[in-house]
Amino acid sequence: MPSATPTSPAGNAVVTIAPIRPFNPDLHERAWVSIPHPTLPLLATAHGKSVTIFSLSTLSAHSNLSGGHTRSVRTIAWKPGMPRNNLCLVSGSFDATAGLWRWDGDVTDGSAEIVLETDVSAHGCTTGDEDNGHANDIGDREWEFTLVLEGHDSEVKSCAFSPSGAFLATCSRDKSVWIWEDIGSSEAEDEWETIAVLNEHEGDVKAVAWCPDVPGRNSRRQYSSDVLASASYDNTARIWREDSDGEWVCVAVLDGHAGTVWGIEWEPRPNQDRFPRLLTYSADGSIRLWELKDAPDDEDGISPETGLGALGGVPNTMRRSLREEWRCTALLPAAHDRDIYSVAWSKATGLIASTGRDGKVALYRERCSPVASPGPPISATNTRLRNETSADKADGAATIPPLRVHWDLLAVFPNAHGPFEVNHITWSRRFDAESGARGLEEMLITTGDDGVVRSWQVEVNDLGEQDKE
């Protein structure tokens, strides 16, 4: 396997994507997705009828979650906001159920917290670091399958916790999105209640993702702060919010792809003066960037554009007419010639990585430049998209943004998993011994049909003007 990529297609940077080393062991069967823990050096990978937990410190497996599902596990998500000594994971399966797993590391001498700072150990497994002196302190504790969530009629394709952990969204081949609420009386009690079943998609729902809790997220007064996106075989993505009566409604349909929308990815670190943007990626080989157009409200909450007020003040028969306007403002440069299965947006660097059926890993970067004179507000690559989505500017009232946004294709790395399809890609913090800044430096992790979870070091070195000459 090649160890690096050539100079980026953008011509202004040298980009290298070098393999670090695969996670150990090889899973020897198709692996669907790998999800890093939000705070701890742990990685969960779905494969077969089980979930393997890897250590990001040793890049080796030390826990296996099995026995909860009768068919393959397709999706997983970590519950956020858990105490450091406790872990909670949800898994979604082809058996049409989602299940919650718990690991309780509470021990009287407090050694569990010390172990969790480096690794978690399960029954019959060790962390691979026998010198830490604590690897066996919790070696007799196992993951527990605590709850089965039933309701879907077919495969559960994706599951996701809201940023607070209070809601869980699941979606399925049955064309529905279910929203569950945690009603347990304590953090240790698993009791979830279905609060919404959303049936507006016309095809299998492939993915769900909650908007992260970032600045600008709560800017829309007429809805709750929780925002959910979904992607479907019907070639669309949808935006969902809870209204003032506690009903979940579709507030926008993102229509533009010519094939299945495999997934969505929220902007992890937006500008504070705008709502997070959203990426959609598709079987048509394209990645689209969407932005929410804010409609100014007056002090009474009445939109001057529609003459309608907040959801709580509108009769039920009119609520469906309240919609948000999401515009496709960019089409990322073409890098894939087949389905794009996964896209990851780095919070640390803003880099976007994509992968899919063609086995390629592609890297993109956003670049802004001052607008010296009147002209198109985005790069020439995206002029067609701006024309398609700016009919409201025909009245001449629009102003030219102060910056022109470009998306550069930095590099394309072929055959990341040899001849096999790559099902998932994610950014993760590095904790391995080879890292120069453990817990701060980032790496890419890819998961493929070959059953191998691979780690990659990414470096982007911009060329100076002299170098470019």
Side-chain angles (χ1 to χ4, degrees):
M1 181 179 296
S3 61
T5 57
T7 302
S8 72
N12 62 348
V14 173
V15 183
T16 58
I17 307 177
I20 300 172
R21 51 191 167 98
F23 285 74
N24 180 48
D26 185 333
L27 300 173
H28 300 293
E29 60 187 342
R30 173 183 289 163
W32 291 104
V33 62
S34 295
I35 306 296
H37 189 278
T39 57
L40 299 172
L42 301 171
L43 181 80
T45 298
H47 62 99
K49 299 178 183 178
S50 63
V51 177
T52 293
I53 308 295
F54 289 100
S55 163
L56 289 172
S57 298
T58 64
L59 305 188
S60 62
H62 56 68
S63 302
N64 183 263
L65 287 58
S66 59
H69 294 285
T70 59
R71 296 185 62 190
S72 295
V73 177
R74 178 65 178 84
T75 178
I76 45 182
W78 295 98
K79 186 178 183 183
M82 295 293 294
R84 290 187 58 82
N85 294 356
N86 296 279
L87 303 174
C88 182
L89 185 79
V90 65
S91 55
S93 170
F94 280 66
D95 66 11
T97 70
L100 267 77
W101 302 80
R102 282 187 177 272
W103 183 88
D104 183 1
D106 187 22
V107 291
T108 56
D109 62 0
S111 60
E113 183 169 357
I114 299 175
V115 176
L116 276 173
E117 289 177 356
T118 54
D119 286 299
V120 175
S121 177
H123 181 67
C125 305
T126 63
T127 64
D129 183 6
E130 308 299 339
D131 295 331
N132 62 23
H134 299 281
N136 296 321
D137 290 343
I138 55 174
D140 60 347
R141 296 182 178 268
E142 300 180 1
W143 285 87
E144 182 182 2
F145 192 62
T146 60
L147 184 66
V148 178
L149 301 176
E150 297 178 303
H152 285 291
D153 295 330
S154 189
E155 307 163 7
V156 175
K157 297 283 191 179
S158 177
C159 54
F161 286 102
S162 64
S164 66
F167 298 113
L168 171 68
T170 58
C171 66
S172 169
R173 188 175 179 179
D174 64 14
K175 304 180 184 180
S176 71
V177 176
W178 287 50
I179 299 178
W180 314 73
E181 184 177 11
D182 187 354
I183 59 172
S185 59
S186 67
E187 186 61 53
E189 181 181 358
D190 286 323
E191 188 176 358
W192 292 76
E193 179 182 60
T194 307
I195 60 172
V197 178
L198 312 175
N199 292 304
E200 293 192 26
H201 277 295
E202 298 176 359
D204 302 12
V205 187
K206 301 297 299 180
V208 286
W210 295 90
C211 182
D213 193 3
V214 294
R217 175 171 169 259
N218 301 330
S219 62
R220 302 286 286 186
R221 297 200 303 270
Q222 58 264 53
Y223 305 104
S224 72
S225 59
D226 290 299
V227 184
L228 180 68
S230 59
S232 171
Y233 260 106
D234 64 12
N235 301 354
T236 71
R238 292 176 182 264
I239 307 295
W240 311 84
R241 296 187 189 243
E242 185 182 18
D243 68 17
S244 59
D245 290 337
E247 296 181 6
W248 285 85
V249 295
C250 177
V251 297
V253 178
L254 281 52
D255 189 1
H257 286 289
T260 297
V261 181
W262 281 100
I264 56 265
E265 177 80 0
W266 288 97
E267 182 178 17
R269 191 183 61 181
N271 292 338
Q272 293 194 16
D273 59 348
R274 72 179 179 216
F275 196 83
R277 295 174 293 177
L278 184 70
L279 291 171
T280 57
Y281 45 95
S282 169
D284 64 13
S286 72
I287 303 173
R288 288 175 175 256
L289 180 67
W290 304 81
E291 295 187 36
L292 172 65
K293 177 188 176 183
D294 284 318
D297 297 337
D298 66 14
E299 294 180 358
D300 296 324
I302 303 298
S303 170
E305 295 188 0
T306 65
L308 298 176
L311 283 180
V314 178
N316 290 336
T317 56
M318 296 179 61
R319 285 178 187 164
R320 292 287 175 167
S321 67
L322 283 178
R323 289 288 187 261
E324 294 179 350
E325 183 177 352
W326 285 76
R327 297 177 173 180
C328 182
T329 56
L331 180 66
L332 270 62
H336 297 276
D337 48 28
R338 306 186 75 177
D339 302 45
I340 299 175
Y341 288 155
S342 183
V343 168
W345 200 335
S346 169
K347 182 177 182 179
T349 65
L351 293 176
I352 290 174
S354 63
T355 192
R357 193 172 182 181
D358 57 12
K360 299 175 182 176
V361 171
L363 287 175
Y364 316 81
R365 182 171 60 178
E366 185 175 26
R367 179 166 52 89
C368 298
S369 59
V371 177
S373 58
I378 57 177
S379 65
T381 304
N382 300 315
T383 299
R384 178 180 59 83
L385 286 171
R386 179 53 64 95
N387 290 338
E388 291 176 352
T389 57
S390 299
D392 60 308
K393 293 187 179 181
D395 59 4
T399 58
I400 300 297
L403 294 176
R404 182 180 290 114
V405 177
H406 309 262
W407 282 93
D408 294 332
L409 176 62
L410 294 181
V412 178
F413 186 75
N415 304 315
H417 284 243
F420 296 93
E421 295 182 4
V422 186
N423 296 316
H424 188 255
I425 192 166
T426 186
W427 295 96
S428 172
R429 290 181 296 162
R430 290 186 64 177
F431 293 91
D432 57 287
E434 290 84 358
S435 173
R438 298 181 68 177
L440 299 176
E441 187 180 359
E442 269 194 325
M443 65 178 175
L444 275 176
I445 296 175
T446 55
T447 306
D449 275 0
D450 55 355
V452 179
V453 181
R454 301 186 182 277
S455 58
W456 307 87
Q457 182 177 11
V458 177
E459 293 185 0
V460 179
N461 296 310
D462 289 303
L463 297 174
E465 292 301 322
Q466 184 175 358
D467 295 327
K468 284 190 279 188
E469 295 177 0

